[in-house]
């Protein structure tokens, strides 16, 4: 974000308006491996913890930038944060964290340490999953921001209209060919991941 810019500036963006207000009691777990990105991580974590019924499962991998100290303190003061550490940064962080999760019928998101959740994004996705029990996952487009927080617009295909998803439109081929399901935006049923 630019200095002085508030997240609320994005509330009026058409992609951040809720389709249906969600008071979903379903727990959403975010799993997040990280390596030496404390500045980005703090904003990312704060953006997730603004939502209700969430947990963060974070794996710090060989960090030496203060990440461990930040996460240790956060996990002591916020019971929604579960913090793990390992000596080195290596592949497989998402999978390693997923193996630690308790079995649950909740939702799961593979989150990144440099991503920022827009207001109401999680609530929209939970509402869609709550309303459509046959869906395994939902996702959204990505808004690119530069290092100063200036909005660079939608990435790639942007957003696929909800009416396409709910009307049964055949868009799977488009998604696969375009390689467009940005993992941090995917909210899936936990049972579909394990």
């Amino acid at each position: 974000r630019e200095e002085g810019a508030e997240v609320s500036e994005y509330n009026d963006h058409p992609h951040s308006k809720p389709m249906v207000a969600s008071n979903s009691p379903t727990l959403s777990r975010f799993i997040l491996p990280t390596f030496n990105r404390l500045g980005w991580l703090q904003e990312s974590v704060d953006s997730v913890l603004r939502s209700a019924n969430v947990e963060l499962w974070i794996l710090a991998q060989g960090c030496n930038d203060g990440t461990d100290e930040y996460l240790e303190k956060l996990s002591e003061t916020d019971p929604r944060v579960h913090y793990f550490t390992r000596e080195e940064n290596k592949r497989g962080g998402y999978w390693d964290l997923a193996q630690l999760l308790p079995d649950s019928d909740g939702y799961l998101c593979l989150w990144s340490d440099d991503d920022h959740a827009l207001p109401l994004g999680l609530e929209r996705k939970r509402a869609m999953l709550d309303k459509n029990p046959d869906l395994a996952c939902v996702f959204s487009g990505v808004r690119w921001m530069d290092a100063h927080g200036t909005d660079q617009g939608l990435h790639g295909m942007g957003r696929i209209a909800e009416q396409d998803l709910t009307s049964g439109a055949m868009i799977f081929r488009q998604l696969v060919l375009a390689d467009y399901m940005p993992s941090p935006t995917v909210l899936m049923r936990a049972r579909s991941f394990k």
Side-chain angles (χ1 to χ4, degrees), residues 143-164:
R143 298 200 66 80
W144 288 102
M145 309 295 273
D146 68 15
H148 304 289
T150 304
D151 190 339
Q152 303 296 305
L154 285 174
H155 174 264
M157 287 173 49
R159 189 179 88 158
I160 294 175
E162 284 96 1
Q163 61 267 23
D164 290 340

Side-chain angles (χ1 to χ4, degrees), residues 59 73 92 165 167:
L59 174 62
K73 184 176 180 180
L165 294 171
S167 70

